[in-house]
Amino acid sequence: RRSYVYLKTPYCSIKNMKPKILYVDDEHQNLTIFSSLLRTKYQVLTSVTVSGAYEILHEHTDIPIVIADERMPEQRGITFLENVKTISPDCVRILLTGFADKEVLEYAINKSGISYFIEKPWNETMVWVSLENAMEIYNSREILKTRNTELQKANDALTRFTYSASHEMRSPLTNILGIVKVSRLENNLEELKNYFNLVESSVIHLDGFVKNLIGY
């Protein structure tokens, strides 16, 4: 008897996993054709209703591309994609339209920030090109987010370093300044020698710190 162990692994930790695409269309046939067309390279999630699509978005937070048909009974595709931006700001949104409505397309691109639109019936080559470009945009955004995070960490480290270095440099200088002020009031030669020794000690300490700083 063979036994099998199934491990649930987070999507983000699996290398070379197919990118997810959410496609929303009220026509079942379109969903089937689209899924069959892209299944070799993408993991296509489909929904025949907008409400179902919202549930998928909340369940799958790693969807890089969302495609929606414009004419749907529950909610217009352009409105749905606007709401998608709030739920998943980094995903690339594509509007699928079967009619040449210039105002809709202008609003989709200029006001809603939708990256692409595909005309129905779609051209297979156009679909592939649009999705490849969309993935490039998504990946660029992810890289930028990572770089910004790294930059913020570097800035924080630099701030802490600057504060620490400033403190280490100012402390000996403050000591020297205090000794100079006190020594002006002192007439005893032996006491003045002690003050000079203290000044020398502070200078040596500061010099050592500067050398370490240069080395760092």
Side-chain angles (χ1 to χ4, degrees):
R1 175 183 294 182
R2 295 182 181 179
S3 60
Y4 297 89
V5 178
Y6 295 91
L7 300 178
K8 293 184 178 180
T9 308
Y11 167 79
C12 59
S13 66
I14 302 178
K15 294 183 178 180
N16 301 322
M17 190 171 184
K18 295 179 182 178
K20 295 179 181 179
I21 295 178
L22 172 58
Y23 176 34
V24 189
D25 196 323
D26 61 323
E27 298 182 23
H28 288 276
Q29 184 178 1
N30 290 338
L31 298 177
T32 302
I33 296 174
F34 202 85
S35 299
S36 300
L37 174 65
L38 302 176
R39 65 185 178 184
T40 58
K41 192 169 183 178
Y42 297 96
Q43 180 183 353
V44 183
L45 307 175
T46 61
S47 177
V48 73
T49 63
V50 172
S51 56
Y54 284 126
E55 293 179 4
I56 293 174
L57 281 172
H58 287 292
E59 181 180 354
H60 300 265
T61 58
D62 55 350
I63 299 177
I65 303 174
V66 177
I67 304 173
D69 186 27
E70 166 59 14
R71 288 291 181 92
M72 294 185 292
E74 190 176 356
Q75 188 178 65
R76 290 181 59 187
I78 194 170
T79 304
F80 167 71
L81 292 177
E82 282 186 281
N83 295 334
V84 168
K85 186 177 182 180
T86 303
I87 301 172
S88 182
D90 295 325
C91 77
V92 181
R93 294 161 297 142
I94 299 176
L95 182 67
L96 191 63
T97 175
F99 56 94
D101 191 331
K102 183 178 179 180
E103 292 183 358
V104 170
L105 298 181
E106 287 182 352
Y107 182 88
I109 296 173
N110 299 326
K111 298 295 178 62
S112 300
I114 295 173
S115 300
Y116 298 99
F117 69 91
I118 300 175
E119 291 185 289
K120 294 171 63 178
W122 58 69
N123 176 279
E124 183 175 337
T125 301
M126 187 62 185
V127 170
W128 281 108
V129 170
S130 298
L131 294 179
E132 290 295 322
N133 291 339
M135 281 305 306
E136 288 185 10
I137 292 176
Y138 179 81
N139 290 332
S140 296
R141 290 174 179 173
E142 291 299 299
I143 291 173
L144 183 60
K145 284 174 59 180
T146 301
R147 294 292 183 266
N148 285 338
T149 301
E150 293 173 351
L151 181 60
Q152 185 60 53
K153 290 180 179 179
N155 285 337
D156 293 342
L158 181 59
T159 299
R160 293 192 297 270
F161 174 78
T162 302
Y163 174 81
S164 177
S166 175
H167 174 75
E168 291 296 326
M169 294 181 71
R170 286 181 57 85
S171 182
L173 292 174
T174 302
N175 290 339
I176 293 172
L177 183 60
I179 294 169
V180 169
K181 290 181 178 180
V182 172
S183 64
R184 287 176 177 171
L185 304 176
E186 183 62 60
N187 295 321
N188 187 296
L189 183 58
E190 291 301 320
E191 287 296 327
L192 288 174
K193 288 181 179 179
N194 290 333
Y195 290 147
F196 291 152
N197 291 335
L198 292 174
V199 169
E200 182 182 27
S201 177
S202 293
V203 170
I204 292 173
H205 176 78
L206 180 58
D207 183 60
F209 174 76
V210 171
K211 288 179 179 178
N212 291 334
L213 183 63
I214 293 173
Y216 181 80

